[in-house]
Amino acid sequence: MVYLLLRIAPFVVLASLCALSAAAWLADHLPRRLVAYVSDLHRHTDLFLFDGYSGRTLHLMAGDLIAASDRAPAWSPDGGRLAFASFHEDDFDIRVIDWDGRHVHNLTANPDANEVAPAWSPDGTRIAYIRQAGGVSHLCILTLAAPADRACVSETINRAPRPVWSPDGRTIAFSSGTHTATVDLAVYDLSTGRTIPLSHSADAENFPNWEPDGGAIWYARSALRDGQPRQTHIVRHDLNGESETIITTDYVYAMLLSPDGTRLAYTNGDDLTVIDAAGTLHFAAALVTPFDLAWSADSSHLAFTKGVGAWDVYLLDVAAGRLTRIDHPGNDQSPAWRP
């Protein structure tokens, strides 16, 4: 008997190691194909996950939050958690949930304001968000280790876009202004607590996107006529040389630079276009009101919402030009790829 155990022991160990290796591989690779999005399938808007390998969806629910309406999911840098804005008991708060639907935490719990549009810092220790109260929006930052420790920038935020962290986590880009005044591009320096304007043009500047090395910001500059945008330039602002380059003059409804900085996706409200840094066209199609652009971590796929009346989430393989719709009932929107 002892002899038999000695003979099979190496195989048991090997099988265990293989099982652990397979589990580690799955944990590291399979979840990375997840796309988070929100859907009104159950009459309120809930968080869902789409598995890019199996094509299955997972409904994220947690106790008394079942009846909440969720918005704007954002993955933590390590892909382990999701931050989102959740409407519950008359206001929006920033909540965080594990990617498998466990351990929901309310980080703001402020009954006097709506907190929306969460954005993780590159090191995953802080979350920037937009606080809306009294008709005014402010940029705020909280520390996850001590959520009550938060700071809000005094300057107002136009249209409450999601804040955009610089790659080194030292600054946050946003559009500063009001609905009736000029909208200027600005960055908030966390070390000094100062807001630094990048330009003071008479145009509206929106959708800031950092290049991966932090040396430049891409944004959309819209010429205003009677308070309405008439023409848009996509601009690359070089922070080192303080110079600007116009990439294209198409009208921009939304835009997003890929994580590797090699491609830019944008929509004019009717068409979806993908170009490279030199302006070379990679993809263009009339897709009926595409918005909610989201790149995969490897910059190979683009997720977005499209539709009129009913919304669906689509995935674009940019190299192949192939579109895939997430087959899910209800109105789906706000896709976000797991890092």
Side-chain angles (χ1 to χ4, degrees):
M1 184 66 178
V2 174
Y3 173 77
L4 179 61
L5 290 175
L6 290 175
R7 290 293 301 271
I8 66 173
F11 296 99
V12 173
V13 173
L14 179 60
S16 299
L17 290 174
C18 290
L20 289 173
S21 298
W25 187 92
L26 287 172
D28 189 48
H29 292 79
L30 183 58
R32 303 291 162 174
R33 296 290 293 178
L34 291 177
V35 178
Y37 62 97
V38 298
S39 176
D40 65 358
L41 177 62
H42 300 287
R43 291 178 297 186
H44 42 266
T45 308
D46 289 342
L47 277 172
F48 285 80
L49 296 181
F50 172 77
D51 181 350
Y53 283 100
S54 68
R56 296 178 180 177
T57 59
L58 170 67
H59 186 186
L60 296 185
M61 296 188 298
D64 64 339
L65 297 185
I66 292 176
S69 289
D70 304 325
R71 298 286 189 276
W75 289 97
S76 61
D78 64 0
R81 291 175 291 176
L82 278 162
F84 58 100
S86 184
F87 186 85
H88 194 59
E89 297 181 351
D90 300 326
D91 71 294
F92 278 98
D93 290 314
I94 302 300
R95 288 183 166 88
V96 171
I97 187 172
D98 289 353
W99 78 270
D100 57 3
R102 298 179 299 172
H103 306 131
V104 183
H105 300 285
N106 188 342
L107 299 181
T108 53
N110 186 351
D112 300 321
N114 288 313
E115 288 92 11
V116 297
W120 295 81
S121 63
D123 63 3
T125 63
R126 290 171 291 187
I127 291 178
Y129 61 96
I130 302 299
R131 181 180 184 272
Q132 301 170 324
V136 179
S137 299
H138 297 278
L139 169 68
C140 300
I141 303 102
L142 63 81
T143 302
L144 287 167
D149 179 16
R150 64 190 71 164
C152 293
V153 180
S154 60
E155 284 77 3
T156 56
I157 309 297
N158 178 265
R159 299 197 308 167
R162 194 191 297 268
V164 186
W165 290 83
S166 62
D168 61 11
R170 297 178 180 178
T171 57
I172 301 173
F174 62 96
S175 297
S176 175
T178 67
H179 289 278
T180 57
T182 300
V183 183
D184 293 320
L185 196 66
V187 293
Y188 174 70
D189 188 322
L190 278 76
S191 62
T192 64
R194 294 177 54 229
T195 297
I196 306 168
L198 294 185
S199 61
H200 290 288
S201 73
D203 301 329
E205 296 153 352
N206 285 297
F207 313 118
N209 287 256
W210 293 88
E211 287 190 356
D213 64 0
I217 294 178
W218 295 46
Y219 68 95
R221 174 186 291 165
S222 300
L224 298 178
R225 299 293 182 270
D226 300 324
Q228 299 296 321
R230 299 300 182 190
Q231 185 182 18
T232 304
H233 294 166
I234 295 178
V235 179
R236 180 184 181 272
H237 183 100
D238 188 328
L239 296 173
N240 299 315
E242 290 299 328
S243 61
E244 294 193 336
T245 304
I246 294 177
I247 304 301
T248 181
T249 57
D250 293 340
Y251 177 74
V252 175
Y253 179 77
M255 60 176 278
L256 189 65
L257 191 65
S258 63
D260 64 5
T262 63
R263 292 168 173 167
L264 179 78
Y266 66 92
T267 170
N268 61 9
D270 295 313
D271 306 316
L272 178 66
T273 303
V274 179
I275 60 176
D276 63 20
T280 303
L281 182 67
H282 283 268
F283 178 87
L287 294 174
V288 188
T289 321
F291 60 103
D292 285 342
L293 307 178
W295 282 101
S296 62
D298 63 2
S299 303
S300 65
H301 288 70
L302 181 74
F304 60 95
T305 306
K306 84 175 187 73
V308 176
W311 295 336
D312 293 298
V313 172
Y314 282 75
L315 311 179
L316 169 66
D317 182 331
V318 177
R322 182 174 60 251
L323 282 173
T324 303
R325 181 175 70 89
I326 294 181
D327 188 10
H328 188 243
N331 287 291
D332 306 331
Q333 59 178 310
S334 302
W337 289 90
R338 189 171 190 247

